[in-house]
Amino acid sequence: MKNELTYILGAGASYQSIPIVKNFANRFDDFASNLFIICQGLDPQSEMYELFEDAYLRVSKISEAFKTHQSFDTYFKKLFHTKEFEKISEGKKILNLYFIWEHLSKITNEPELKVETTFWKQSIIDKRYDALIAGLLKPLSGKSEPYCPVNFIT
């Protein structure tokens, strides 16, 4: 049997680049605000305006649902148990849009006042992942080969 490594990554594993539960709601509201600002710059008669307005309204609606639960995971579990599968499907699509936006968002300045609910984006990809991957790879020029099979559980 070959040796292999399994890493278990928790919610805080990306805290420098993706918000954790305690500051997710505020950052998700930033996403909604960003969609609203984009809408304001578009021609109200255009198809793009309709798309962004629809996205803004859907994001705002689900944002309110997220705020009434511990996390979006809890909200989706509730929907699952109440058999509201269409809401789960729409929610996942909205979250995908949010995470794309979050990954493409620029690094932010350190906030003057550090509040628990304020998210400070310190890097596009959490710097600790660079260190993790660098430590797993053999020092071979031009090749990315791990020392042994690696599994990630999140």
Side-chain angles (χ1 to χ4, degrees):
M1 176 182 229
K2 278 186 155 181
N3 291 336
E4 68 179 30
L5 289 172
T6 298
Y7 283 88
I8 300 173
L9 304 175
S14 300
Y15 83 93
Q16 293 178 356
S17 59
I18 297 290
I20 56 176
V21 170
K22 70 181 174 185
N23 51 29
F24 176 83
N26 285 347
R27 189 62 176 175
F28 197 75
D29 283 344
D30 290 346
F31 172 55
S33 296
N34 193 272
L35 291 171
F36 182 77
I37 290 166
I38 291 170
C39 269
Q40 299 309 298
L42 296 171
D43 174 3
Q45 304 303 316
S46 71
E47 193 175 316
M48 288 301 287
Y49 179 87
E50 286 183 33
L51 275 168
F52 277 93
E53 181 184 47
D54 182 56
Y56 166 72
L57 293 172
R58 289 172 189 253
V59 167
S60 296
K61 184 177 178 182
I62 201 166
S63 177
E64 293 308 310
F66 287 168
K67 288 175 187 173
T68 62
H69 297 82
Q70 177 66 29
S71 69
F72 61 79
D73 289 333
T74 305
Y75 174 65
F76 288 136
K77 287 175 187 174
K78 178 182 175 182
L79 293 177
F80 175 80
H81 289 295
T82 57
K83 298 184 180 355
E84 296 180 73
F85 303 117
E86 285 184 30
K87 284 185 179 181
I88 294 171
S89 180
E90 180 175 332
K92 286 180 179 181
K93 290 173 187 174
I94 291 169
L95 277 179
N96 281 334
L97 285 176
Y98 164 73
F99 283 120
I100 289 168
W101 173 81
E102 192 65 75
H103 281 292
L104 296 175
S105 293
K106 295 179 181 172
I107 297 169
T108 56
N109 294 327
E110 183 175 0
E112 289 182 27
L113 179 63
K114 291 186 180 176
V115 180
E116 194 172 282
T117 56
T118 301
F119 173 63
W120 170 31
K121 187 177 191 99
Q122 300 170 50
S123 62
I124 300 299
I125 297 173
D126 194 310
K127 296 171 190 167
R128 296 171 298 165
Y129 286 120
D130 279 341
L132 173 64
I133 299 302
L136 294 173
L137 298 177
K138 293 178 183 177
L140 303 171
S141 180
K143 288 179 99 177
S144 298
E145 186 179 321
Y147 284 103
C148 64
V150 181
N151 303 299
F152 291 96
I153 300 172
T154 64

